[in-house]
């Protein structure tokens, strides 16, 4: 089945640090990747939609300059949390899909803890 | 706007019991997709099923079955003879074309925490 790899799985860092999270589709070309955020015991909230070679589309209320998304190839998208603060601590999870209306396949997520 | 409601926040059952997880959705689109995902304690999301809005046939996969009823906008999920390994958070999700574009965005329900006790 489709495999999506997300790295790192766990990050603990100091406030003010920028953190980059990678999302790779291992056995298929992902035309679209999605980034979600999940607070403890809550649902997944879509942050942005990323199409290869174009700018990401951010959901309302998500700061573009805070959460930088790059989708440079059909197998890799990155999310950079710039100047992270404790309130950015969360579980970040990406998904990838081959093309529109196909099921999204999710990475294992990244637990980000900002001290 | 699309919305997914999972009214059951937590369910606790004893192993071998059957359990049904409810999902009710709202959408104005005639073409949409419904999904169920499983999120075990380790955090990853596991895809279970996708159903399109034109296919109301119920589906069975091993101990899992799904009941899609457009008349009540529901897409319920039943686990038969539950096992401890079924313990997880289960999310129902709805996907429809994003306005102005062709990306299909997922809207998740709040999830149901299922605990299966031995």
């Amino acid at each position: 089945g489709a495999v999506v790899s997300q790295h790192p799985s766990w990050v603990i860092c100091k406030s003010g640090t920028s953190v980059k999270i990678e999302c790779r589709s291992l056995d298929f070309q992902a035309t679209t990747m999605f980034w979600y955020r999940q607070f403890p015991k809550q649902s997944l909230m879509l942050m942005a939609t990323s199409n290869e070679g174009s700018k990401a589309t951010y959901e309302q209320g998500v700061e573009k300059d805070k959460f930088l998304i790059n989708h440079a190839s059909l197998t890799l998208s990155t999310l950079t949390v710039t100047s992270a603060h404790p309130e950015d601590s969360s579980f970040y999870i990406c998904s990838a899909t081959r093309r529109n209306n196909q099921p999204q396949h999710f990475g294992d997520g990244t637990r980000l803890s900002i001290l | 706007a699309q919305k997914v409601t999972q009214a059951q926040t937590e369910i606790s059952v004893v192993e071998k019991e059957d359990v049904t997880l409810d999902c009710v959705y709202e959408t104005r689109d005639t073409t949409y997709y419904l999904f169920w995902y499983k999120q075990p304690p380790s955090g990853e999301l596991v895809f279970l099923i996708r159903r399109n809005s034109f296919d109301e046939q119920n589906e069975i996969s091993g101990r899992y079955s799904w009941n899609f009823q457009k008349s009540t906008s529901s897409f319920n999920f039943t686990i038969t003879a539950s096992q401890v390994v079924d313990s997880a958070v289960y999310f129902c999700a709805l996907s429809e074309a994003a306005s102005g574009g062709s990306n299909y965005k997922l809207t998740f329900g709040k999830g149901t925490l299922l605990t299966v006790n031995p």
Side-chain angles (χ1 to χ4, degrees), chain A residues 12-26:
Chain A
I12 301 175
C13 58
K14 294 180 179 180
S15 186
T17 306
S18 291
V19 178
K20 180 185 281 189
I21 303 170
E22 292 187 349
C23 180
R24 293 180 185 273
S25 56
L26 298 184

Side-chain angles (χ1 to χ4, degrees), chain A residues 81-93:
Chain A
V81 184
T82 61
S83 187
H85 292 285
E87 59 267 26
D88 298 322
S89 298
S90 187
F91 186 61
Y92 292 87
I93 190 166

Side-chain angles (χ1 to χ4, degrees), chain B residues 18 28 31 36-37 44 59-60 66-68 90 99-100 111:
Chain B
D18 298 347
R28 283 179 282 189
T31 302
W36 277 95
Y37 287 89
E44 76 274 18
E59 181 157 340
I60 298 175
W66 291 269
N67 185 328
F68 176 29
Y90 290 85
S99 58

Side-chain angles (χ1 to χ4, degrees), chain A residues 31-50:
Chain A
T31 55
T32 305
M33 288 185 169
F34 301 85
W35 287 95
Y36 296 84
R37 182 174 183 175
Q38 185 181 29
F39 290 108
K41 297 188 178 182
Q42 293 191 24
S43 188
L44 282 78
M45 299 301 294
L46 179 65
M47 298 175 67
T49 302
S50 171

Side-chain angles (χ1 to χ4, degrees), chain A residues 54-115:
Chain A
S54 61
K55 290 184 178 180
T57 302
Y58 289 80
E59 294 300 299
Q60 192 172 10
V62 178
E63 298 177 60
K64 300 178 184 181
D65 296 331
K66 176 74 172 176
F67 300 99
L68 300 178
I69 292 172
N70 183 281
H71 192 163
S73 76
L74 283 170
T75 59
L76 174 65
S77 176
T78 60
L79 167 67
T80 301
V81 184
T82 61
S83 187
H85 292 285
E87 59 267 26
D88 298 322
S89 298
S90 187
F91 186 61
Y92 292 87
I93 190 166
C94 72
S95 71
T97 181
R98 286 182 177 84
R99 57 181 181 275
N100 289 328
N101 82 17
Q102 293 298 305
Q104 294 180 27
H105 296 276
F106 287 81
D108 288 348
T110 298
R111 295 191 187 280
L112 176 61
S113 295
I114 308 299
L115 305 177

